[in-house]
Amino acid sequence: MTAWILRRALQAVFVVWLMTLIVFVGLHAIGNPVDILIGQDVDQVDRARIIAQLGLDQPLWRQYLSFLDGALHGHLGNSFVYNVPAIQLIVQRLPATLELAFAALVLAVVIGIPLGLFAGLYPRNPISKLLMTGSIVGFSLPTFWVGLMLIMFFSVHLGVLPASGRGETASLFGVEWSFLTVDGLRHLILPAFNLALFKISLVLRLTRAGVSEVLPQDFVKFARAKGLSPLRVVLVHVLRNTLIPLVTVIGLEFGSTIAFAVVTESVFAWPGAGKLILDSINALDRPVIVAYLIVVVCLFVSINLIVDVLYKWLDPRVRVEAAA
């Protein structure tokens, strides 16, 4: 296990390094942030001074080496726009994005697994067919359109839920969270459901497919022959084996939800890291973009590691192969 964790750590370091290299080269090819940050009315002397102050007068390879040297010392550079450490901006905004992504994941699991289990156990039921049709709709609808429709219906017409913002927050472990207050929960419902709609459809269909595959297996028939209750057969034998592929997908989807929550955050004016990275891309704020992507990659690697551990716990065959 120790050797396996070390290999994964080395892979993670390589992935992070390769990502920073690609981003640096890509941002340099897209354009010059000076053209956005500095107005046209600035004279050439001030322009040259600002460029030198930002370190943009150096060749790209020197800028990249300077960034790597700072990163090894825990400094990912200062934002061109806000003139504060880029990692500080990310840390300030990340809890809001994590809260939104986790709420969406909880909705996907709480709604998608029971509905998929029902559709798999009773495939000929009209409700099951309706659920499968609805999951296709959930895949097809664009996130920004669903968000606008949710705002129109629940906020404008009914007036029962707020349309934007994070609402009132409360502190826990020194971090502000919305789910700890009633007003914050009301603000969280619409963006979380909007972000979770695609995940609900995915979890529903995967659960349904897993149940359909597990039900005919011999160990399920043997469990029924032993006289176990139908509920125990479903929860212990069917659902547990269905969860094996679901754990991997849900883990990866959680990472992608964090990384690509920018559309939902923009529609609902949710003050998270996704909104920050969108503004940074518009301003070509290179330190913030790179710092955000490093944080996202590290989150992906950590989530994948947790998923692999859970996978070994759920599937004994994986433990046997690892031991061999």
Side-chain angles (χ1 to χ4, degrees):
M1 178 66 76
T2 304
W4 174 73
I5 293 177
L6 288 175
R7 286 198 303 270
R8 293 296 299 270
L10 291 175
Q11 292 173 3
V13 172
F14 176 76
V15 169
V16 172
W17 169 77
L18 185 61
M19 180 274 301
T20 59
L21 180 62
I22 294 174
V23 170
F24 251 81
V25 175
L27 289 177
H28 181 75
I30 289 175
N32 188 357
V34 175
D35 299 332
I36 300 175
L37 297 172
I38 304 176
Q40 298 296 327
D41 55 343
V42 178
D43 58 49
Q44 293 299 321
V45 176
D46 290 336
R47 183 184 178 89
R49 178 179 56 80
I50 295 173
I51 291 175
Q53 183 179 354
L54 295 176
L56 299 176
D57 58 331
Q58 302 293 327
L60 182 62
W61 65 269
R62 190 180 294 275
Q63 294 180 40
Y64 181 67
L65 291 180
S66 177
F67 163 78
L68 288 181
D69 181 65
L72 292 175
H73 294 84
H75 181 62
L76 300 179
N78 289 336
S79 167
F80 294 159
V81 177
Y82 302 99
N83 196 29
V84 296
I87 192 65
Q88 177 181 330
L89 289 173
I90 302 299
V91 171
Q92 289 175 350
R93 299 287 193 94
L94 193 59
T97 298
L98 290 175
E99 182 179 41
L100 182 60
F102 188 75
L105 183 68
V106 170
L107 287 176
V109 171
V110 170
I111 298 175
I113 290 181
L115 294 182
L117 192 61
F118 177 85
L121 293 174
Y122 309 101
R124 300 184 182 275
N125 192 298
I127 298 179
S128 300
K129 296 179 180 179
L130 182 63
L131 289 173
M132 299 308 294
T133 303
S135 66
I136 297 176
V137 176
F139 277 126
S140 306
L141 295 177
T143 302
F144 72 90
W145 183 85
V146 174
L148 294 176
M149 292 302 101
L150 290 174
I151 292 174
M152 288 293 295
F153 185 73
F154 290 101
S155 301
V156 177
H157 291 295
L158 297 181
V160 295
L161 292 173
S164 63
R166 199 179 176 194
E168 184 181 354
T169 60
S171 179
L172 179 65
F173 303 118
V175 181
E176 297 294 324
W177 303 100
S178 296
F179 72 92
L180 296 175
T181 66
V182 176
D183 183 62
L185 279 174
R186 293 180 68 249
H187 281 79
L188 183 61
I189 291 174
L190 287 185
F193 181 77
N194 181 51
L195 193 60
L197 184 60
F198 177 87
K199 318 298 179 187
I200 292 172
S201 303
L202 178 63
V203 171
L204 191 157
R205 296 187 72 88
L206 287 175
T207 305
R208 194 260 185 191
V211 171
S212 300
E213 181 180 352
V214 171
L215 276 178
Q217 298 295 325
D218 292 336
F219 64 87
V220 175
K221 297 177 181 178
F222 182 72
R224 287 172 173 170
K226 288 197 304 182
L228 298 180
S229 65
L231 182 62
R232 180 175 176 80
V233 172
V234 170
L235 294 180
V236 176
H237 298 278
V238 176
L239 184 58
R240 178 168 181 174
N241 286 276
T242 303
L243 287 177
I244 292 174
L246 267 179
V247 166
T248 303
V249 174
I250 290 174
L252 294 177
E253 286 299 316
F254 180 57
S256 65
T257 302
I258 296 172
F260 305 115
V262 56
V263 175
T264 298
E265 291 185 0
S266 299
V267 171
F268 291 92
W270 188 264
K275 184 68 167 58
L276 174 66
I277 192 62
L278 183 63
D279 296 337
S280 300
I281 291 173
N282 291 331
L284 286 180
D285 196 348
R286 185 183 300 163
V288 177
I289 297 173
V290 176
Y292 174 80
L293 292 177
I294 288 176
V295 171
V296 169
V297 169
C298 291
L299 284 173
F300 262 103
V301 171
S302 302
I303 291 170
N304 284 340
L305 180 61
I306 295 172
V307 166
D308 288 343
V309 172
L310 289 175
Y311 204 96
K312 290 184 178 183
W313 176 71
L314 286 170
D315 193 348
R317 295 169 298 179
V318 177
R319 295 198 295 268
V320 171
E321 292 174 2

